[in-house]
Amino acid sequence: MKAVRVHGYGEDPSLDDLPEPGIHSPHDIVVRIGGAGVCRTDLHILEGQWREKSGVRLPYVLGHENAGAVVEVGSAVTTIAPGDSVILHPLATCGACGACRAGDDVHCTSSYFPGINADGGMAEYLRTSFRSAVRLDPELAPADVAALADAGLTAYHAARKAATHLHPHNTVAVIGAGGLGHIGVQALRALTAAEIVVVDRSEAALALAAELGADATVRADGEEAAAVRERTGGRGAEAVLDFVGEGTAVASGIAMLARAGSYYVIGYGGSIDIPTIDVISNEINFVGNLVGSYGDLVELMALAARGLVRLHTNLYPFSDYAKAFADLDAGTLTGRAVLVPSL
Amino acid sequence: MKAVRVHGYGEDPSLDDLPEPGIHSPHDIVVRIGGAGVCRTDLHILEGQWREKSGVRLPYVLGHENAGAVVEVGSAVTTIAPGDSVILHPLATCGACGACRAGDDVHCTSSYFPGINADGGMAEYLRTSFRSAVRLDPELAPADVAALADAGLTAYHAARKAATHLHPHNTVAVIGAGGLGHIGVQALRALTAAEIVVVDRSEAALALAAELGADATVRADGEEAAAVRERTGGRGAEAVLDFVGEGTAVASGIAMLARAGSYYVIGYGGSIDIPTIDVISNEINFVGNLVGSYGDLVELMALAARGLVRLHTNLYPFSDYAKAFADLDAGTLTGRAVLVPSL
Amino acid sequence: MKAVRVHGYGEDPSLDDLPEPGIHSPHDIVVRIGGAGVCRTDLHILEGQWREKSGVRLPYVLGHENAGAVVEVGSAVTTIAPGDSVILHPLATCGACGACRAGDDVHCTSSYFPGINADGGMAEYLRTSFRSAVRLDPELAPADVAALADAGLTAYHAARKAATHLHPHNTVAVIGAGGLGHIGVQALRALTAAEIVVVDRSEAALALAAELGADATVRADGEEAAAVRERTGGRGAEAVLDFVGEGTAVASGIAMLARAGSYYVIGYGGSIDIPTIDVISNEINFVGNLVGSYGDLVELMALAARGLVRLHTNLYPFSDYAKAFADLDAGTLTGRAVLVPSL
Amino acid sequence: MKAVRVHGYGEDPSLDDLPEPGIHSPHDIVVRIGGAGVCRTDLHILEGQWREKSGVRLPYVLGHENAGAVVEVGSAVTTIAPGDSVILHPLATCGACGACRAGDDVHCTSSYFPGINADGGMAEYLRTSFRSAVRLDPELAPADVAALADAGLTAYHAARKAATHLHPHNTVAVIGAGGLGHIGVQALRALTAAEIVVVDRSEAALALAAELGADATVRADGEEAAAVRERTGGRGAEAVLDFVGEGTAVASGIAMLARAGSYYVIGYGGSIDIPTIDVISNEINFVGNLVGSYGDLVELMALAARGLVRLHTNLYPFSDYAKAFADLDAGTLTGRAVLVPSL
């Protein structure tokens, strides 16, 4: 089969011919890929940023945002069958540890991550665990939702946590309405009746956010915290979802937080630097967010099936994989790039 | 001032001339009524059903769904001022008991209830506690929201409780889309992304529910539980909000409940009769619902200000109070009757 | 191997010679039984009460409260190994359905129940799913904890739910301090600082409850609801855990409930019969309780390992199984009967 | 009356003769002080550290941990009466803002703080709001509990938040078992069955912690994070309560946190400095903690009345106020210093 593989860091990946993966253990499934999202993390992998963190042995196949059709299942798999159309949770989890048992499978003590530390889905076929497969509503085409499997799922996860304490008279500020953030806005709109204020540097991003349900938009011009305070009668936002996590976003985000408010850390790159007295005197919280759980992905697909979360995608045939990477890198894409083997 | 007073049970009320109420204690406020909702409970009061329960001394003024403008405040009132446009929570609560302190003021151990056991708001002026007043958004006219103060608030309260455990892949069934139920549907639509299925005997009520955001409607024809089960793949609804609470509604509502689901009792008149083994073997819950708290009313008004909850009202001048009662009794009203002193 | 089997309803079971069960599917484990609890449900099975509900084909092996040592594991089992000392959750669950994934495995859509609808643990060896096995702390002997696997787990589950809303100034009433109830008292004592009031007809049961941590005991003499109200300054108990669920217990339990309180239905046999207006006007809740989840069993074993939950057990050699059943039936036991194959 | 007043920063306070405070507004009460705790914050006030933050006008009376007997009440006070024995919540809150209404009165938008920005309780009489008064169980003497009003309440508040997500198989680490920490250990012991591990530099503090219910103690010798990890099988603690908040405590506390764990910031002086990627990759949370709410104080007094939280106090007559301050400053006290006007 054809697969996009990394052979060395700092090099372009290549489109290789490989044997199909096949079933290796009782919980495995093999999926014919219908779409594989191309993500900024793929660029970082190629640059070598994940070399030590993932410890993956080269060459290996990229692709951690995958959807398609099941073609084969292992001997212990009874709930997924060949022919099922599925989106794949990015982690292949064990199902037996305390975290998996409690629905918190992202903290599985024995998982692997296809596309990061094992062969991924930029290929005609992918092997993963049956536990990763969420059956798709007939309305949803794998290529259209693939990019929700990781980026979208992370945004949904944070929005869902925040929604549990957001009420109609509250305000939630979203910092950054790009790839993750614009999913976050849609998820918040579906999950909460709080007022949503979106902060971004880009007018185009703010216009999209307004279209997707934001109640107000604020240009990130250095005065954004003051603008959020003004809009909330001085109170600040009960929740801030920070999809940027670097540069001045963190300090500015903290400055727009209400007393007893919670700051959701989603984007990364920068750092939190705050005197403990400031954490205490306003009684604020910082909440870390990783990718969502399998259960979160089930919920996100329920929203997608009803049209409550939509993703703008650009489909590329496999032979154009290099162009997809280049377009992402050049920042010329609106929405997500998705590789489709069958095109 | 003019006021609609009950002089005897089984008799029509009369429009009397009374002195204005004035301030009696440090926490009192006096409100010039902009609108007073006419509610089925008012008919029950006139029939004498509340005679013993309320223990009110006749004659007294009806009206427990009130909104208007503050005209006078007591010596200990600092947060509400003459001129403020307000909707009034139906209970006048103490603010000092454990329930009031915890935001659960409906269970105040020392409250009174204007229109039920004290003079109410079908009058030019009403005296109540400053603690009942929620300041209105400038967009909201008192007469348009008055009827949300009790009926709407009860529906919101139940919807809010249910929303805490409803997720996008769940289903909530609403039994009865009438006066309370159609507010319940709007509140659920604002608060949760779960699928909303509305059950009613009336096609008109179902059509309204669909317009207000229900994902599906089911005619209550004796097969409604089977219909909900079929729609949910046999699972049943994770929550049932029963706005009827009598006749076959309760048994039918229980029959459409999923394992580990919760049944919200809102309407009343009938009874729950269920073997404990059935409660246990499906691990289901029954959740009682009274009118919402002050905090719930603040939230409901935030929804109303953004147009997320709307009430259809019929305004009557005070001189037509008897017609308003008669129209309600005859069942010829669409939406709620509201008395407006200034018309 | 030796096993206690049911051959016909209304008949005594017999001690039969059977082949060892062996591994049949990739998730199976085989456990050498260290102790199998004898439960009132076993008597009900012999009487034929479960004939239709379980649909089990006779003859089959009794025993649904099991602990012992793993001797063999299926091909897909990686987290449990031969030699592990384990207690077994009573249900063998699928691990793949939504309920299992969310930690709510008791509502698994594809489970079986050894000792109820499949061969159980009153045998030298038992086959079940690896998903049922909780590894035991070295301090805990299988025969000493076996009877916590079902009865104790049910009590713990209800106590844990109630503890989430019980605070130090609240009161929880426990109705029935027998087999389940005395575990419930210990679980409450470990999980909450609320005042615990135990209600029972038996002075011996009340004395045991006081020893296990009850703050007060009340004789169930028809005036128990009044006694609980008096003790709580008229307020009533914020939670009632009803381990009886029949006779006058239910009505009496409801009568001792505080406004906005919750009634935990655990025992069964009787029924709840209550007008919806009473549910609403006090805003009370009824909460169904089934056996606890796998996660609950992990927690219960953590308590047992630290001596916070103790069970009084009477060990019987396998050859005396008939005496164990007879002693239970005669009501002459203090604590639970446990069959031990190795004695 | 006699009162301990600050006349200038950097100076010793003096024992002055003042008129009794009297009632100024309808919600006021006057309390005859039975005990006023001396707190490290009092030393910081004298040093001038709070000069700008409090903005108090000198001279003023110190004392923010107060208990005693009510002697006079304002015209709008109906729930507290002269003769009531009370402990006083440190904040005098408005009762009307959204935070007060929701039980979150610490975030009241219109409060004052006797002893910080208004005359406090190191005096024969104190005026505050009736809303601050918690009636004491007859078993509790004001002087014995006064020091729980602020320090103890802060510790209880953090323990209570943490207890909501701590289960019997979890571990909570407490950093610092001094004045606040030793109350925190008792509160955790009452509220949760999780394993409690206490970390401190002082062997005496660790010995006290063990006596008060800690399951394990760890010397803070630079290797404490490793020790906690080892004890938890590498997992780390699901919650860390940091009563130190400065020096190496923060970094060490973060290092002992489990994945998805929460770090409770209580002590202050240092800062949190952490790359956002570390917050995300372990999905950890930081939770700010201020003093507890009025409701928390009610609960803490319920624990104190049952002997579940005890405070070691040293009583000083008013004439020895200077010695009390000096002993605290010298670090020679075991337990808290309390001034008692009547001694």
Side-chain angles (χ1 to χ4, degrees):
Chain A
M1 66 173 189
K2 298 282 183 200
V4 179
R5 288 211 295 182
V6 188
H7 288 267
Y9 297 114
E11 299 175 17
D12 287 339
S14 59
L15 191 61
D16 299 350
D17 255 313
L18 292 180
E20 292 178 15
I23 296 294
H24 285 204
S25 90
H27 289 159
D28 283 351
I29 57 172
V30 174
V31 174
R32 183 190 303 114
I33 292 299
V38 185
C39 172
R40 196 155 294 277
T41 296
D42 295 312
L43 301 181
H44 294 329
I45 289 170
L46 293 172
E47 292 159 4
Q49 288 192 26
W50 286 75
R51 186 198 307 239
E52 282 171 41
K53 209 158 196 157
S54 76
V56 72
R57 187 196 300 207
L58 301 188
Y60 90 111
V61 182
L62 286 171
H64 57 277
E65 297 190 331
N66 307 307
V70 176
V71 293
E72 202 181 347
V73 305
S75 61
V77 176
T78 57
T79 54
I80 292 284
D84 287 351
S85 178
V86 296
I87 187 170
L88 297 170
H89 189 276
L91 279 175
T93 59
C94 78
C97 69
C100 279
R101 299 247 196 192
D104 182 30
D105 38 38
V106 169
H107 297 288
C108 172
T109 56
S110 175
S111 65
Y112 64 95
F113 203 142
I116 302 288
N117 61 20
D119 279 342
M122 292 190 186
E124 289 176 83
Y125 295 94
L126 166 70
R127 178 179 63 236
T128 185
S129 164
F130 84 98
R131 286 183 51 80
S132 302
V134 175
R135 239 188 250 103
L136 286 175
D137 186 276
E139 309 269 304
L140 298 175
D144 291 343
V145 295
L148 290 173
D150 187 63
L153 183 55
T154 299
Y156 179 76
H157 179 61
R160 188 190 198 277
K161 280 201 219 177
T164 60
H165 70 91
L166 286 170
H167 303 297
H169 61 314
N170 293 147
T171 295
V172 50
V174 172
I175 302 182
L180 268 75
H182 89 286
I183 301 294
V185 170
Q186 295 177 72
L188 284 168
R189 188 68 302 152
L191 300 180
T192 174
E195 188 182 60
I196 302 171
V197 179
V198 177
V199 177
D200 203 296
R201 289 186 191 165
S202 144
E203 289 292 359
L206 293 178
L208 176 63
E211 210 177 282
L212 296 175
D215 296 291
T217 57
V218 171
R219 187 76 184 276
D221 57 2
E223 301 299 319
E224 61 270 23
V228 170
R229 287 219 169 264
E230 194 185 327
R231 194 177 166 88
T232 54
R235 208 180 69 230
E238 279 74 16
V240 172
L241 272 69
D242 177 3
F243 289 98
V244 174
E246 58 181 355
T248 57
V250 182
S252 155
I254 294 173
M256 65 181 70
L257 205 54
R259 286 178 71 80
S262 288
Y263 192 90
Y264 293 83
V265 186
I266 311 155
Y268 57 91
S271 59
I272 297 172
D273 299 296
I274 186 169
T276 43
I277 192 163
D278 291 348
V279 176
I280 285 165
S281 57
N282 292 312
E283 205 168 13
I284 55 174
N285 311 302
F286 294 88
V287 181
N289 292 280
L290 209 48
V291 71
S293 68
Y294 178 90
D296 289 340
L297 186 56
V298 170
E299 294 178 17
L300 179 57
M301 287 304 109
L303 292 182
R306 283 193 271 144
L308 296 174
V309 169
R310 283 161 213 260
L311 191 64
H312 188 72
T313 53
N314 303 277
L315 306 185
Y316 292 78
F318 241 46
S319 47
D320 285 356
Y321 76 91
K323 182 166 177 358
F325 279 72
D327 289 352
L328 173 62
D329 202 20
T332 58
L333 282 172
T334 305
R336 301 294 305 262
V338 175
L339 302 186
V340 181
S342 65
L343 279 188
Chain B
M1 66 174 189
K2 298 283 182 199
V4 179
R5 286 211 295 182
V6 188
H7 287 266
Y9 298 114
E11 297 173 19
D12 287 339
S14 59
L15 192 61
D16 300 350
D17 255 313
L18 291 180
E20 293 179 14
I23 296 293
H24 285 203
S25 91
H27 290 158
D28 284 351
I29 58 173
V30 174
V31 174
R32 183 188 304 115
I33 293 298
V38 185
C39 171
R40 196 156 293 276
T41 295
D42 296 312
L43 301 181
H44 294 329
I45 289 169
L46 293 171
E47 292 159 4
Q49 288 192 25
W50 286 74
R51 186 198 308 237
E52 284 172 39
K53 210 158 195 156
S54 76
V56 73
R57 188 195 298 204
L58 301 186
Y60 89 110
V61 183
L62 287 171
H64 57 276
E65 297 190 330
N66 307 307
V70 176
V71 294
E72 203 183 344
V73 305
S75 61
V77 176
T78 56
T79 54
I80 294 284
D84 286 350
S85 179
V86 296
I87 186 168
L88 295 170
H89 189 276
L91 280 174
T93 60
C94 78
C97 70
C100 279
R101 298 247 196 194
D104 181 29
D105 38 39
V106 169
H107 297 287
C108 173
T109 56
S110 175
S111 64
Y112 63 96
F113 203 141
I116 303 288
N117 61 18
D119 279 341
M122 292 189 186
E124 290 175 82
Y125 296 94
L126 167 71
R127 178 180 60 239
T128 185
S129 165
F130 85 97
R131 287 183 50 78
S132 302
V134 175
R135 237 186 252 105
L136 286 175
D137 187 277
E139 310 269 306
L140 297 174
D144 292 343
V145 294
L148 290 173
D150 188 63
L153 184 55
T154 299
Y156 179 75
H157 179 60
R160 187 190 199 276
K161 279 201 220 177
T164 60
H165 70 90
L166 286 169
H167 303 296
H169 61 315
N170 293 148
T171 294
V172 51
V174 173
I175 302 181
L180 269 75
H182 90 285
I183 301 295
V185 170
Q186 294 177 72
L188 284 169
R189 188 68 303 151
L191 300 180
T192 173
E195 189 182 58
I196 302 171
V197 178
V198 177
V199 177
D200 203 296
R201 288 187 192 164
S202 144
E203 289 291 1
L206 293 178
L208 176 62
E211 212 176 279
L212 297 174
D215 296 291
T217 58
V218 170
R219 187 75 184 276
D221 57 3
E223 301 299 318
E224 60 270 23
V228 170
R229 287 218 171 265
E230 194 185 326
R231 193 177 167 89
T232 54
R235 208 179 70 228
E238 278 74 17
V240 171
L241 272 69
D242 177 3
F243 289 97
V244 175
E246 57 181 355
T248 56
V250 182
S252 156
I254 294 174
M256 65 180 70
L257 206 52
R259 286 178 71 81
S262 287
Y263 191 90
Y264 293 83
V265 187
I266 311 154
Y268 58 91
S271 60
I272 297 173
D273 300 295
I274 186 169
T276 42
I277 192 165
D278 291 348
V279 176
I280 285 164
S281 57
N282 292 312
E283 205 168 14
I284 56 175
N285 311 303
F286 293 88
V287 181
N289 291 281
L290 210 48
V291 71
S293 67
Y294 178 90
D296 290 339
L297 187 55
V298 170
E299 293 178 17
L300 179 57
M301 286 303 109
L303 293 182
R306 282 192 272 144
L308 296 174
V309 171
R310 282 162 213 260
L311 191 62
H312 188 72
T313 54
N314 303 278
L315 306 185
Y316 292 78
F318 241 44
S319 47
D320 285 355
Y321 77 91
K323 183 169 175 356
F325 279 72
D327 289 352
L328 173 63
D329 202 21
T332 57
L333 282 173
T334 305
R336 302 294 304 261
V338 175
L339 302 186
V340 181
S342 64
L343 279 188
Chain C
M1 65 173 190
K2 298 284 182 198
V4 179
R5 287 211 296 181
V6 188
H7 288 266
Y9 297 114
E11 297 173 19
D12 287 340
S14 58
L15 192 60
D16 300 349
D17 255 314
L18 292 180
E20 293 179 14
I23 296 295
H24 284 203
S25 89
H27 290 159
D28 284 350
I29 58 172
V30 174
V31 174
R32 183 190 303 116
I33 294 298
V38 185
C39 172
R40 196 156 292 275
T41 295
D42 294 313
L43 301 181
H44 294 329
I45 289 170
L46 292 171
E47 292 159 3
Q49 287 192 25
W50 285 74
R51 187 199 307 239
E52 284 172 37
K53 208 157 197 158
S54 76
V56 72
R57 189 195 297 206
L58 301 187
Y60 89 109
V61 182
L62 286 171
H64 57 276
E65 298 190 331
N66 307 306
V70 176
V71 293
E72 201 182 346
V73 305
S75 61
V77 176
T78 56
T79 54
I80 294 284
D84 287 350
S85 179
V86 296
I87 187 169
L88 296 170
H89 189 276
L91 280 174
T93 59
C94 79
C97 69
C100 279
R101 298 245 196 196
D104 182 29
D105 38 39
V106 169
H107 297 288
C108 173
T109 56
S110 174
S111 65
Y112 64 95
F113 203 141
I116 302 289
N117 61 19
D119 279 342
M122 292 189 187
E124 291 176 81
Y125 295 94
L126 166 71
R127 178 181 59 239
T128 185
S129 164
F130 85 98
R131 286 184 50 80
S132 302
V134 175
R135 239 186 249 105
L136 287 175
D137 187 276
E139 310 270 305
L140 298 174
D144 291 343
V145 294
L148 289 173
D150 188 63
L153 184 56
T154 299
Y156 179 75
H157 179 60
R160 186 190 200 276
K161 279 201 219 176
T164 60
H165 70 90
L166 287 169
H167 303 296
H169 61 315
N170 294 147
T171 295
V172 51
V174 172
I175 301 182
L180 269 75
H182 89 285
I183 301 294
V185 171
Q186 295 177 71
L188 285 168
R189 188 68 302 153
L191 300 180
T192 173
E195 189 182 58
I196 302 171
V197 179
V198 177
V199 177
D200 203 297
R201 290 185 191 166
S202 146
E203 289 291 358
L206 293 178
L208 175 63
E211 210 177 280
L212 296 174
D215 296 291
T217 59
V218 171
R219 187 77 183 275
D221 57 2
E223 301 299 319
E224 60 270 24
V228 170
R229 286 218 171 265
E230 195 186 326
R231 195 180 163 87
T232 54
R235 208 180 70 228
E238 279 74 17
V240 172
L241 273 68
D242 177 3
F243 289 97
V244 175
E246 58 181 354
T248 58
V250 182
S252 156
I254 294 174
M256 64 180 70
L257 205 53
R259 286 179 70 82
S262 288
Y263 191 90
Y264 292 83
V265 187
I266 311 155
Y268 58 91
S271 59
I272 297 172
D273 298 296
I274 186 169
T276 43
I277 191 163
D278 291 348
V279 177
I280 285 164
S281 57
N282 292 312
E283 204 168 14
I284 56 175
N285 311 302
F286 293 89
V287 181
N289 291 280
L290 209 49
V291 70
S293 67
Y294 178 89
D296 289 339
L297 187 55
V298 170
E299 294 178 18
L300 180 56
M301 286 304 109
L303 293 182
R306 281 191 273 144
L308 296 174
V309 170
R310 283 161 214 261
L311 191 63
H312 188 71
T313 53
N314 303 276
L315 306 185
Y316 292 79
F318 241 45
S319 47
D320 284 356
Y321 76 92
K323 183 167 176 0
F325 279 72
D327 289 352
L328 174 62
D329 202 20
T332 57
L333 282 172
T334 306
R336 302 294 303 261
V338 175
L339 302 186
V340 180
S342 65
L343 280 187
Chain D
M1 66 171 189
K2 298 283 183 199
V4 179
R5 287 211 296 181
V6 187
H7 288 266
Y9 298 114
E11 297 174 18
D12 287 339
S14 59
L15 192 61
D16 299 350
D17 255 314
L18 292 180
E20 292 179 16
I23 296 294
H24 284 204
S25 90
H27 291 158
D28 283 352
I29 58 173
V30 173
V31 174
R32 183 188 305 113
I33 293 297
V38 185
C39 172
R40 195 157 293 277
T41 295
D42 295 312
L43 301 181
H44 294 329
I45 290 170
L46 293 171
E47 292 159 4
Q49 288 193 25
W50 286 75
R51 186 198 306 240
E52 284 172 39
K53 210 159 196 157
S54 76
V56 72
R57 188 197 298 206
L58 301 188
Y60 89 111
V61 182
L62 286 171
H64 58 277
E65 297 190 331
N66 307 306
V70 176
V71 293
E72 202 182 346
V73 306
S75 61
V77 176
T78 57
T79 53
I80 293 284
D84 287 350
S85 178
V86 297
I87 186 170
L88 296 170
H89 188 276
L91 280 174
T93 60
C94 78
C97 69
C100 279
R101 298 243 196 196
D104 182 30
D105 38 38
V106 169
H107 297 288
C108 172
T109 57
S110 173
S111 64
Y112 65 94
F113 203 142
I116 302 288
N117 61 19
D119 278 343
M122 292 189 187
E124 290 176 81
Y125 295 94
L126 166 69
R127 179 181 59 239
T128 185
S129 165
F130 85 99
R131 287 183 50 80
S132 302
V134 175
R135 239 187 250 104
L136 287 176
D137 187 277
E139 310 270 305
L140 297 174
D144 291 343
V145 294
L148 289 173
D150 188 63
L153 184 56
T154 298
Y156 178 75
H157 179 60
R160 187 191 200 275
K161 279 201 218 176
T164 60
H165 70 90
L166 286 169
H167 303 296
H169 61 314
N170 293 148
T171 295
V172 50
V174 173
I175 302 182
L180 269 75
H182 90 286
I183 301 294
V185 170
Q186 293 177 73
L188 285 169
R189 187 68 303 152
L191 300 180
T192 174
E195 188 181 61
I196 302 171
V197 179
V198 177
V199 177
D200 204 296
R201 290 185 190 165
S202 144
E203 288 291 359
L206 293 178
L208 176 63
E211 212 177 279
L212 296 175
D215 296 291
T217 58
V218 171
R219 188 76 185 276
D221 57 3
E223 300 299 319
E224 61 271 23
V228 170
R229 286 216 171 268
E230 193 184 327
R231 192 175 167 91
T232 55
R235 209 179 69 229
E238 278 75 15
V240 172
L241 273 68
D242 177 4
F243 289 97
V244 174
E246 57 182 352
T248 57
V250 183
S252 156
I254 294 174
M256 64 180 71
L257 206 53
R259 286 178 70 81
S262 287
Y263 191 90
Y264 293 84
V265 186
I266 310 154
Y268 58 90
S271 59
I272 297 173
D273 298 296
I274 186 170
T276 43
I277 192 164
D278 290 349
V279 176
I280 285 165
S281 57
N282 292 312
E283 204 167 14
I284 56 174
N285 311 303
F286 293 88
V287 181
N289 291 280
L290 209 48
V291 71
S293 68
Y294 178 89
D296 288 340
L297 186 56
V298 170
E299 294 179 16
L300 179 57
M301 287 303 109
L303 292 182
R306 283 193 271 144
L308 296 173
V309 170
R310 283 162 213 260
L311 190 63
H312 188 71
T313 53
N314 303 277
L315 306 184
Y316 292 77
F318 240 47
S319 48
D320 285 356
Y321 76 92
K323 181 166 175 3
F325 279 73
D327 289 351
L328 173 63
D329 201 21
T332 58
L333 283 171
T334 306
R336 301 294 304 261
V338 175
L339 302 186
V340 181
S342 65
L343 280 187

